[in-house]
Amino acid sequence: MDAMTLSAPEVTRDGVTTLLECEVRAPGRGRRRLWLRTTGPDVPAVNDPFVALGLLPAMKLGIPLVSEGPVSRSLLEQALPAVQRVHAIWGEDTRHPQRGRFTVIEVQVPYAEDPARGTGTGMFFSGGVDSGFSLLEARDAITDLIFIHDFEAAFPEEPRRAALAGAERVAAAFGKRLIEVETNAKEVLGDIVSWHHYHGSLLIGCALPQQGRLGTIHIPSSVDVGRIVPWGSHPLLDPCWSTAATTFVHDRLDVTRFEKVAAVAHERVLLENLRVCWAPHQNCGFCSKCVRTAFALQTLGQLERGLPFDRPPVTARELARLDLRNEGVGRQFQHIADHLAAEGRDPDLVRAVGIARTGRYHRGVGKLFRGDLSGRVGRRLSSAVRRSATPR
């Protein structure tokens, strides 16, 4: 019978890091080595992380998932059925609909007893606004920050070290231990499921080696309650992954991104090390993600501090020429504009956000009047250079 098969895990410890490896076999895909490396001792020798990483791809392929290594009983009996039900109800992978739907599959594994519940409390920390806010909210409870290398994009070595250094500075300032994790799961399995959905189970796969050490792990929310859609990290889905040893908590949904920026802006070490950009360097300052944060800081009177951007104030012309037709992104800019409008400030910036939400300069002949042709060409060239420099 066709199936996705995971070999028993191979565990290598060197006193500082633990390397978990298994072989993944699937019809038409040959044999691939799947690995996960994490700092910290006492990683359970179970296949829980790899089962989490393989579940959604197997559901998309519509084939059983077979683990030759043991899996914690509660993960198999409680977490996996619940996670499968949620994805089966969602059905379609909205970014890769041509690659099949999520279907409930059989999971065949040998049982293992659950690890003892840990006493620590962890939280995923990327250096962004969401994780910075979550750290402030739970600073007294958190004992460990989990930093995943190259989570959204693979960076060259120097920016990669800079990102880690920023996380280390924040961890030291807050008195937390830093757990580093890296994996090749995106390269091995990420082509089957869109990142839109897969990032959530990748978070879980990177967290499950900490069972027995961390009894609770916080996952910062990336959206507010007004924008809950099928998504890999979701307030309904994340708690479903909980096991007898570790509870997963999806953090607050009742806070807008603007409110999160306002909280982070008052904590200098977070602002100094804030990373909101997909560019390899710290922050480019001019992509939509950077402009969104700079606009919020400017509205709060914090942009002139020069952290974390070295850029001039955001102008109405710059805002109007953004493409904010995406409802989620548009709403985040609108929250900032609403704050300005409520205080009777900067009506030109408020109007510019409304123009950007219509996409006026990105539709038809409007493209001819954007007035930033040289900038667009320059950004395209810079993007091409970054892609060529990124290891593959």
Side-chain angles (χ1 to χ4, degrees):
M1 177 176 62
D2 288 342
M4 177 178 289
T5 302
L6 307 170
S7 70
E10 301 173 17
V11 183
T12 305
R13 298 182 175 91
D14 66 5
V16 178
T17 63
T18 299
L19 176 65
L20 301 173
E21 295 181 275
C22 82
E23 184 180 80
V24 181
R25 306 187 297 272
R29 297 179 63 85
R31 299 168 178 260
R32 301 286 300 276
R33 297 296 292 181
L34 178 62
W35 57 263
L36 187 150
R37 183 181 292 108
T38 181
T39 55
D42 304 323
V43 173
V46 291
N47 242 18
D48 294 16
F50 297 132
V51 167
L53 295 171
L55 181 67
L56 294 193
M59 291 182 70
K60 281 291 295 289
L61 295 174
I63 56 178
L65 180 63
V66 178
S67 171
E68 296 172 349
V71 172
S72 300
R73 184 179 294 271
S74 63
L75 181 71
L76 178 65
E77 294 183 345
Q78 300 170 28
L80 298 186
V83 171
Q84 288 208 67
R85 285 195 296 271
V86 172
H87 281 92
I89 291 171
W90 286 343
E92 187 173 85
D93 182 340
T94 51
R95 298 297 176 92
H96 285 338
Q98 73 280 8
R99 298 183 186 175
R101 297 172 62 84
F102 292 113
T103 59
V104 175
I105 59 170
E106 182 182 3
V107 180
Q108 303 172 8
V109 302
Y111 287 104
E113 292 305 316
D114 288 282
R117 189 173 182 86
T119 58
T121 299
M123 190 200 79
F124 286 103
F125 183 79
S126 66
V129 170
D130 296 322
S131 57
F133 175 80
S134 286
L135 177 57
L136 291 175
E137 284 282 287
R139 65 192 304 167
D140 294 334
I142 298 297
T143 59
D144 296 75
L145 301 181
I146 304 172
F147 178 82
I148 303 176
H149 287 277
D150 299 332
F151 179 64
E152 289 188 303
F155 287 169
E157 188 59 30
E158 185 176 345
R160 197 169 185 265
R161 287 197 301 267
L164 174 61
E168 290 174 334
R169 287 191 290 269
V170 171
F174 281 82
K176 312 302 180 187
R177 291 175 298 194
L178 186 69
I179 298 171
E180 297 177 55
V181 186
E182 55 185 323
T183 179
N184 68 338
K186 283 194 294 184
E187 290 73 27
V188 175
L189 298 170
D191 63 313
I192 303 173
V193 185
S194 70
W195 183 242
H196 184 86
H197 285 279
Y198 193 56
H199 73 273
S201 53
L202 192 143
L203 287 172
I204 301 301
C206 289
L208 286 174
Q210 307 305 323
Q211 290 183 103
R213 181 180 182 181
L214 302 179
T216 303
I217 296 178
H218 290 255
I219 301 177
S221 61
S222 55
V223 298
D224 59 59
V225 71
R227 194 189 161 212
I228 299 177
V229 296
W231 188 249
S233 175
H234 188 280
L236 173 63
L237 183 60
D238 291 345
C240 290
W241 284 105
S242 298
T243 67
T246 300
T247 299
F248 290 99
V249 177
H250 188 96
D251 279 344
R252 291 179 59 179
L253 295 168
D254 61 332
V255 185
T256 67
R257 183 171 294 270
F258 178 59
E259 291 171 325
K260 291 180 179 181
V261 173
V264 168
H266 293 291
E267 194 71 44
R268 185 177 179 87
V269 68
L270 291 176
L271 203 58
E272 286 177 336
N273 296 285
L274 192 66
R275 295 183 62 89
V276 300
C277 187
W278 282 313
H281 38 82
Q282 183 74 12
N283 293 296
C284 75
F286 296 94
C287 70
S288 61
K289 294 184 73 175
C290 286
V291 172
R292 178 182 62 194
T293 308
F295 182 31
L297 290 171
Q298 179 174 317
T299 300
L300 295 164
Q302 297 288 334
L303 185 64
E304 64 272 12
R305 295 170 64 184
L307 302 172
F309 306 104
D310 182 16
R311 57 151 295 154
V314 177
T315 65
R317 183 174 185 273
E318 181 180 11
L319 285 175
R321 282 159 174 73
L322 293 174
D323 186 357
L324 301 184
R325 286 174 291 179
N326 176 282
E327 178 60 22
V329 177
R331 285 180 67 255
Q332 291 173 350
F333 277 85
Q334 190 64 54
H335 289 149
I336 307 172
D338 290 345
H339 182 83
L340 288 173
E343 294 189 345
R345 297 163 49 201
D346 299 311
D348 54 334
L349 298 180
V350 176
R351 286 192 296 271
V353 170
I355 293 171
R357 296 195 70 182
T358 70
R360 178 186 301 178
Y361 291 95
H362 298 266
R363 292 184 285 112
V365 295
K367 296 178 181 179
L368 300 177
F369 299 98
R370 280 165 58 187
D372 64 341
L373 179 60
S374 63
R376 280 180 282 155
V377 171
R379 286 193 291 274
R380 290 286 181 89
L381 289 174
S382 297
S383 177
V385 170
R386 287 198 300 270
R387 285 197 299 270
S388 66
T390 300
R392 299 190 180 276

